[in-house]
Amino acid sequence: MDPGSLSVELGRFKLLVISDRDPVAHSLPDRGRITVGRSETADIQVPDPLISRVHAAITLGETLMVRDLGSSNGTIVRGEKIDPNVDTPINVGETIDFGSTVVIVQREVLGGQPGRDEPPLSDEQVEGTSDSMRRLHRLARRVASSRINVLLLGETGVGKEVMASTLHRMSPRASSPFLGINCASLTDTLFESELFGYEKGAFTGAVAAKPGLIEAAHTGTFFLDEIGEMPLSAQAKLLRVLELRAVHRVGSIKQTPVDVRFISATHRNLAEDVAAGRFREDLFYRLNGISLVIPPLRERADEVVPLARTFLAEAARDAGFGAVPLLSAEAVAWMQSYNWPGNIRELKNAINRAVLLSTGGIVHTEHLAVANTYSPGRVSAAPPAGFTAPAGPAVSVEGDGDERQRIIQALADCGGNQTRAAKQLGISRRTLSSRLNQLNIPRPRKK
């Protein structure tokens, strides 16, 4: 999930279980391992006859994993049955099929669920102090109370998903489900079954009926992330749902009424896509009841340092550090001068890596600069023109830069856990230890 731009604190995880009954949300810790199955011995019991007694395990933390525990009917991720007893990475918001049940790991939104009688969030609760974000927040607060569909626009990494969650929290639908899907993550063939569901026997492998995500979001909010990536064939079917306010399961002869508010997001210019024939004009106008444009981080310089300090605390906690590193004055000046083309997502990744590089409890400019130097496929994040780095020992970059960056990124992804990082890199723990020494990469500190 993208870190947000509004006053939304993403805390622990929750597991949304969607079956032929009403959706059920189970609160989860922010890290650890939980089991899912039909038996009472499972941490989360799901009464589905097609699920094994202890069907699968989900590992929570900086990296999410699902492991099929030798179940009878298997576990399906991204449309493919995963190998048993092997950890498979998953993303927040991604669907996992257990038998005829779908589960989704989501982030809890802390601070309660604002209801109809609760006052809206104040301007002082907006994270950051930029005028553009204050204006956006005031508009979002007004829009949230209506039924109108919302289109969120902005560059990659600005926090569109958390803005969608914020709109849901401030709306009269706050006590109902908030579900979503990344339109870029599903193939054309999976769209229909995931969004609309299917009946038993609708196709090979449909051993039981399954409601779609839109049906499961009834009375709530459905978030379509990267809507510009949706295939044209799926666009036509989504348009019909918007027009009829009903879904038609694959293999069914009847329609199921749904009351869902749609929030969509994209970094693309949909008007250009409509003109080029890549996006349906009628669907565009249906989804674009009102547009909210989230400004890039370079236009919200006052938010950079508060966000960075929040990410420092998170990264230190995930790496098991006893104390949160401090930002040097030069590092603060560097961050405020840099234009952050990757927005909040880039800032968070830079802080995660800098925490692993800093060895004296202070993040210096060179830690941030090195953390961003070798990002594949984009311009190097060198210090801005005219910026003078502080005096002091420079971080060594001897050896292959791409390999160094891959190792640093893996350590950041795994919260400093070298065993998991080695597994992610496809090398042994001993090889990783050797390369840390050869490339002069500081080892993550332990508690």
Side-chain angles (χ1 to χ4, degrees):
M1 271 194 188
D2 295 344
S5 306
L6 299 180
S7 179
V8 178
E9 183 183 357
L10 297 180
R12 302 188 308 172
F13 295 102
K14 67 179 179 181
L15 188 71
L16 187 69
V17 179
I18 304 171
S19 62
D20 56 356
R21 308 181 182 186
D22 290 336
V24 178
H26 300 268
S27 293
L28 304 175
D30 58 358
R31 54 186 56 249
R33 183 176 183 269
I34 59 103
T35 56
V36 180
R38 192 180 73 252
S39 168
E40 293 181 356
T41 60
D43 296 319
I44 295 179
Q45 186 180 12
V46 180
D48 181 345
L50 298 178
I51 290 181
S52 297
R53 293 177 60 81
V54 182
H55 192 101
I58 298 175
T59 301
L60 306 164
E62 187 70 20
T63 302
L64 300 180
M65 300 279 188
V66 61
R67 173 187 286 246
D68 184 274
L69 300 176
S71 66
S72 299
N73 293 315
T75 299
I76 298 175
V77 176
R78 293 181 286 275
E80 300 288 339
K81 184 177 289 189
I82 63 175
D83 294 331
N85 300 310
V86 175
D87 285 329
T88 300
I90 56 174
N91 299 314
V92 172
E94 198 163 45
T95 59
I96 310 167
D97 288 75
F98 298 148
S100 60
T101 299
V102 174
V103 303
I104 306 172
V105 178
Q106 296 183 316
R107 280 284 190 182
E108 289 273 20
V109 180
L110 303 181
Q113 297 281 343
R116 295 175 183 268
D117 299 326
E118 294 188 38
L121 299 177
S122 66
D123 288 340
E124 287 72 24
Q125 291 175 289
V126 180
E127 188 172 356
T129 58
S130 63
D131 290 341
S132 60
M133 287 308 300
R134 290 185 182 184
R135 289 193 298 270
L136 178 64
H137 187 258
R138 285 194 292 268
L139 178 58
R141 190 168 50 195
R142 291 197 297 270
V143 169
S145 61
S146 70
R147 293 172 56 94
I148 193 170
N149 293 329
V150 181
L151 179 62
L152 302 177
L153 304 173
E155 298 176 4
T156 298
V158 294
K160 295 187 288 292
E161 186 169 351
V162 173
M163 172 64 87
S165 177
T166 301
L167 288 167
H168 174 73
R169 290 180 64 245
M170 295 191 296
S171 77
R173 298 172 180 265
S175 59
S176 296
F178 173 75
L179 298 179
I181 194 169
N182 188 317
C183 299
S185 67
L186 291 179
T187 63
D188 196 354
T189 55
L190 284 176
F191 254 106
E192 191 170 359
S193 60
E194 290 291 344
L195 262 64
F196 312 128
Y198 53 80
E199 295 294 336
K200 180 179 180 180
F203 50 82
T204 303
V207 294
K210 187 185 82 169
L213 294 177
I214 294 177
E215 186 177 338
H218 181 60
T219 71
T221 304
F222 195 77
F223 177 52
L224 292 158
D225 197 10
E226 298 297 347
I227 186 65
E229 309 299 328
M230 178 177 283
L232 280 168
S233 59
Q235 291 178 29
K237 294 165 184 173
L238 177 61
L239 176 64
R240 188 164 181 80
V241 173
L242 290 165
E243 290 174 339
L244 301 178
R245 294 195 171 274
V247 294
H248 198 158
R249 291 188 187 181
V250 178
S252 175
I253 59 174
K254 67 176 183 177
Q255 295 176 336
T256 303
V258 290
D259 173 19
V260 174
R261 186 205 199 158
F262 287 91
I263 299 177
S264 308
T266 183
H267 68 280
R268 300 170 63 106
N269 187 325
L270 286 188
E272 290 183 357
D273 287 347
V274 168
R278 293 187 295 266
F279 200 86
R280 293 183 63 106
E281 184 177 19
D282 43 9
L283 178 60
F284 172 68
Y285 288 117
R286 281 279 186 176
L287 295 174
N288 188 21
I290 186 170
S291 297
L292 298 182
V293 181
I294 305 176
L297 190 56
R298 61 181 173 273
E299 297 178 8
R300 298 146 51 191
D302 291 342
E303 298 180 44
V304 171
V305 175
L307 283 169
R309 288 182 174 138
T310 298
F311 298 150
L312 276 172
E314 293 176 357
R317 181 201 64 194
D318 292 341
F321 293 176
V324 178
L326 302 175
L327 291 170
S328 69
E330 294 84 359
V332 169
W334 189 94
M335 289 191 297
Q336 291 175 329
S337 300
Y338 181 51
N339 68 358
W340 300 106
N343 294 294
I344 298 175
R345 184 179 298 153
E346 181 186 11
L347 172 62
K348 184 173 185 179
N349 288 339
I351 291 296
N352 287 345
R353 292 184 291 242
V355 166
L356 297 176
L357 286 171
S358 62
T359 56
I362 298 178
V363 172
H364 291 291
T365 310
E366 61 264 28
H367 302 143
L368 292 164
V370 170
N372 290 279
T373 297
Y374 294 105
S375 297
R378 45 163 293 216
V379 178
S380 166
F387 182 84
T388 302
V395 177
S396 170
V397 293
E398 60 186 85
D400 179 61
D402 288 338
E403 180 187 7
R404 179 186 177 84
Q405 180 60 20
R406 287 195 300 271
I407 292 175
I408 292 172
Q409 180 64 63
L411 287 168
D413 291 344
C414 299
N417 186 306
Q418 296 179 44
T419 300
R420 287 170 53 196
K423 184 176 181 180
Q424 178 173 313
L425 291 164
I427 60 178
S428 67
R429 172 69 170 75
R430 179 175 296 180
T431 299
L432 174 60
S433 179
S434 174
R435 295 305 288 159
L436 291 177
N437 293 331
Q438 293 168 6
L439 298 175
N440 195 24
I441 299 175
R443 296 173 182 274
R445 292 168 291 171
K446 298 180 179 179
K447 286 185 179 180

